[in-house]
Amino acid sequence: YRETIPDRTFEAGESFPLLGTERELVIEPARSHSITDTSIRLRESTVERSTVERVLENVYRREARDHFSERADHYASEMGVEYGKIEIRNQRTKWGSCSTTGTISLNWRLMMAPPEVVDYVVVHELAHLREANHDDVFWSLVAECDPEYEAHARWLEEHSAQLIFSERDL
């Protein structure tokens, strides 16, 4: 397991996955951080006041909030469920959870996984709003939105070490 953990140096030129696509880390004088199809571009002055690792994590968290909310809204209407709010967390061992009050907590590091894997976790947590247990009813709800859910769950199990961002996550 530990052998597959990426050895990140948090330096310009290194590549980081965002929604399953490897993107080059660029640090440049700019007004704000930005993301392109091939790069994650950090504003140099922000990095100088902090660390690349912290700034990059904040960019991931910001992207996570937007992406997870958009996906949760999409699937909630499809599934006929309502959630309260989304919390972005950094659970060490969990990708997501759903509280009895309807708060969906999702791990920002999921943003490193492919989009269909993110969707699986979102659907999984939304399904808990209808069905608390992981019984047959629950899995058939998940399957309605994500027929490939077993493959997506397996991907997460097999690649979870690659979604470790830094030493602090261990």
Side-chain angles (χ1 to χ4, degrees):
Y1 176 78
R2 286 188 93 90
E3 308 74 74
T4 57
I5 295 170
D7 187 16
R8 305 193 198 280
T9 57
F10 296 96
E11 288 168 28
E14 191 171 6
S15 92
F16 285 84
L18 184 73
L19 291 172
T21 303
E22 290 292 332
R23 295 167 211 244
E24 184 188 353
L25 184 61
V26 177
I27 298 166
E28 61 186 4
R31 276 215 182 91
S32 59
H33 311 305
S34 61
I35 288 168
T36 71
D37 291 344
T38 57
S39 65
I40 299 173
R41 312 182 85 80
L42 302 183
R43 182 182 178 186
E44 194 173 44
S45 59
T46 311
V47 169
E48 284 165 359
R49 287 196 303 272
S50 182
T51 64
V52 172
E53 184 181 327
R54 285 225 155 75
V55 174
L56 187 58
E57 178 177 328
N58 288 337
V59 168
Y60 269 101
R61 283 175 177 271
R62 185 189 71 196
E63 291 296 310
R65 179 160 299 288
D66 292 347
H67 187 73
F68 296 164
S69 299
E70 190 263 317
R71 302 315 288 153
D73 290 348
H74 169 81
Y75 284 113
S77 69
E78 205 174 286
M79 296 165 80
V81 297
E82 279 184 28
Y83 66 93
K85 61 176 179 170
I86 286 187
E87 281 186 355
I88 307 299
R89 314 254 316 260
N90 186 13
Q91 307 100 313
R92 275 197 166 74
T93 55
K94 270 187 174 166
W95 296 112
S97 61
C98 177
S99 76
T100 49
T101 57
T103 296
I104 306 275
S105 297
L106 295 165
N107 195 317
W108 66 268
R109 290 187 287 113
L110 268 174
M111 284 301 289
M112 294 190 272
E116 61 275 15
V117 173
V118 174
D119 282 3
Y120 157 69
V121 177
V122 170
V123 166
H124 182 116
E125 298 314 329
L126 288 171
H128 279 310
L129 295 169
R130 295 253 298 272
E131 202 54 50
N133 306 315
H134 291 104
D135 57 15
D136 290 349
V137 177
F138 171 86
W139 290 114
S140 66
L141 273 172
V142 171
E144 276 172 39
C145 287
D146 183 5
E148 304 286 309
Y149 78 87
E150 287 168 316
H152 299 147
R154 199 162 45 248
W155 188 96
L156 212 42
E157 267 174 42
E158 290 169 4
H159 297 88
S160 63
Q162 284 153 33
L163 305 184
I164 287 172
F165 188 64
S166 74
E167 300 282 307
R168 289 184 294 140
D169 297 330
L170 297 171

